[in-house]
Amino acid sequence: VQLQASGGGLVQAGGSLRLSCGASGSIASINVMGWYRQAPGKQRELVASITSGDNTNYADSVKGRFTISRNNAANTVYLQMNSLKPEDTAVYYCNANGRGRRGPYDSWGQGTQVTVSS
């Protein structure tokens, strides 16, 4: 299963960006889709995740500012990021796990850079 992320870029503090990530390949089901980020010199951290039943989970640092959603028919997950702060600057990675036609998978996208200027 392959994931393709898009939507990163450069934005001023207070601005918004929307990330998208589509899954393709031998997909039988997708359980959890999520977004992680990794800033320079820091470990990768969970930003938000969403289950197939639309249960969501957010890092405390983004609650109230970011919204995760998914389109199950299109195997796509989105991350709407509002009120961006310079500390949101990082490479954002999408993740999906579930069952493929050849067995379970846990796949990562290639990462998309988000830079927030002060």
Side-chain angles (χ1 to χ4, degrees), residues 9-22:
L10 172 64
V11 65
Q12 288 189 332
S16 297
L17 284 174
R18 188 186 192 218
L19 306 183
S20 300
C21 178

Side-chain angles (χ1 to χ4, degrees), residues 1 10-11 36 52 59 64 86 94 109 117:
V1 174
L10 172 64
V11 65
Y36 291 72
S52 58
C94 58
S117 62

Side-chain angles (χ1 to χ4, degrees), residues 16-115:
S16 297
L17 284 174
R18 188 186 192 218
L19 306 183
S20 300
C21 178
S24 62
S26 300
I27 299 171
S29 65
I30 304 178
N31 293 334
V32 182
M33 304 187 83
W35 289 95
Y36 291 72
R37 67 186 180 188
Q38 187 166 19
K42 295 187 177 181
Q43 290 189 331
R44 189 174 297 190
E45 63 175 357
L46 174 69
V47 177
S49 63
I50 184 168
T51 69
S52 58
D54 287 338
N55 292 313
T56 58
N57 180 46
Y58 295 93
D60 288 342
S61 59
V62 306
K63 283 180 180 177
R65 301 188 297 122
F66 291 10
T67 302
I68 190 169
S69 60
R70 64 190 279 176
N71 181 330
N72 291 325
N75 293 332
T76 301
V77 63
Y78 307 95
L79 186 69
Q80 178 66 42
M81 304 185 292
N82 298 329
S83 302
L84 282 160
K85 304 175 181 180
E87 51 263 43
D88 294 318
T89 296
V91 178
Y92 284 69
Y93 298 90
C94 58
N95 172 266
N97 62 69
R99 180 161 292 277
R101 295 189 177 88
R102 301 171 185 169
Y105 64 87
D106 188 340
S107 298
W108 291 88
Q110 82 283 13
T112 184
Q113 177 71 46
V114 172
T115 303

